[in-house]
Amino acid sequence: MRNRLSLRGAFIAAALIECGVLIALVAYLALTDRALRISVEPRTVPVVASTEGLVIPVAGVQAAELRNTWGAARSGGRAHKGVDIFAKEGTPVLAAAAGVLVNRDSNGVGGLSLYQRGADGRIVYYYAHLSGTRAGLKVGDLLAPGDVIGYVGRTGNVSGAAHLHFAAFTVTDPNRWWHGRDLNPYDLLKPAAAPAVSHPK
C-alpha cells in the first residue's frame, strides 16, 4: 500500500513539474515574442520610422513625401479619412506598428485591404487598395513594425495612380476593431504637419 502511495505521489510530482515547465515556457514565449511571430521574408526593403515611432507603411517613402489629405472631398459626398501614400505599384506595404492582423477584406471602395490591431489594443490600422498580400499572411498573425504585409496597388475605388490608403482609429473594445473614432494618420506619421490639402474628386 505504501509503495502504491509513493508511486502515485511520484506521478503527481512529475505531472506538476511538467505543468510548471510548460507554464514557464508559454510565459517566456509570450514575453519574448519568440516562436509566436510568423516568419517573414528578410527585410531587404527600406524601412523609415516616423517621429512617433510608427513605420511609414510604404517601403522607401520619407516623411517629407507625405501629404495631409485628411478631410478632402471624395465621391459620393464622403470625406477622406486617411492619408494616401503614392508609390509604384507592387512596392512593399509594411506594418506600421507591432500588433495582430484582425481582418482582410475586399470591397468596391477599399479594394483588397487589411486591418491590424495595435499591440496596445487601442489603435487599429487600415491598409487599403492593395494589389496583393504577402504569401501565407493570415488573420491572427503577429506583426512587427516593418514586416511586409502586402503591396501597393489600385484595387477598389481608385481613379488615379497606385497608392496605399492608410487610416487609423481608436477603439474602446479591442474585440470590436471595426468600430472606433477616426484619427488623422498624417499626425501620427508626421506630427509637425501642414494644413490639409484639398484635392479634386
Side-chain angles (χ1 to χ4, degrees):
M1 182 70 172
R2 181 176 296 175
N3 288 342
R4 192 174 296 169
L5 289 175
S6 298
L7 192 57
R8 182 181 296 170
F11 280 128
I12 290 172
L16 288 174
I17 291 170
E18 188 175 336
C19 286
V21 169
L22 287 174
I23 289 169
L25 179 61
V26 169
Y28 172 76
L29 292 175
L31 289 173
T32 61
D33 203 23
R34 293 174 193 262
L36 293 178
R37 281 200 56 244
I38 54 172
S39 63
V40 297
E41 54 198 67
R43 292 204 189 132
T44 56
V45 294
V47 175
V48 181
S50 75
T51 54
E52 286 293 297
L54 293 181
V55 168
I56 294 174
V58 175
V61 173
Q62 303 291 322
E65 300 174 65
L66 301 176
R67 297 293 175 262
N68 189 3
T69 57
W70 177 264
R74 290 294 186 264
S75 61
R78 296 175 297 118
H80 196 233
K81 295 292 179 72
V83 60
D84 288 340
I85 305 174
F86 290 87
K88 182 180 177 181
E89 189 160 354
T91 301
V93 170
L94 314 174
V100 61
L101 187 69
V102 291
N103 191 46
R104 48 186 300 159
D105 190 23
S106 184
N107 60 61
V109 178
L112 180 59
S113 52
L114 298 172
Y115 291 80
Q116 176 201 359
R117 185 173 59 217
D120 63 2
R122 293 177 48 250
I123 299 182
V124 171
Y125 303 100
Y126 173 65
Y127 310 82
H129 306 314
L130 304 175
S131 63
T133 60
R134 190 191 71 224
L137 186 71
K138 61 188 182 304
V139 170
D141 281 349
L142 298 178
L143 304 171
D147 282 352
V148 175
I149 58 174
Y151 304 93
V152 171
R154 301 182 69 253
T155 59
N157 187 11
V158 176
S159 58
H163 65 276
L164 171 72
H165 172 85
F166 178 64
F169 46 94
T170 58
V171 294
T172 54
D173 180 352
N175 295 313
R176 289 170 52 85
W177 50 264
W178 62 91
H179 182 73
R181 182 174 64 85
D182 294 312
L183 300 172
N184 185 348
Y186 184 75
D187 295 337
L188 301 177
L189 295 171
K190 188 179 177 187
V197 177
S198 181
H199 290 283
K201 294 180 184 178

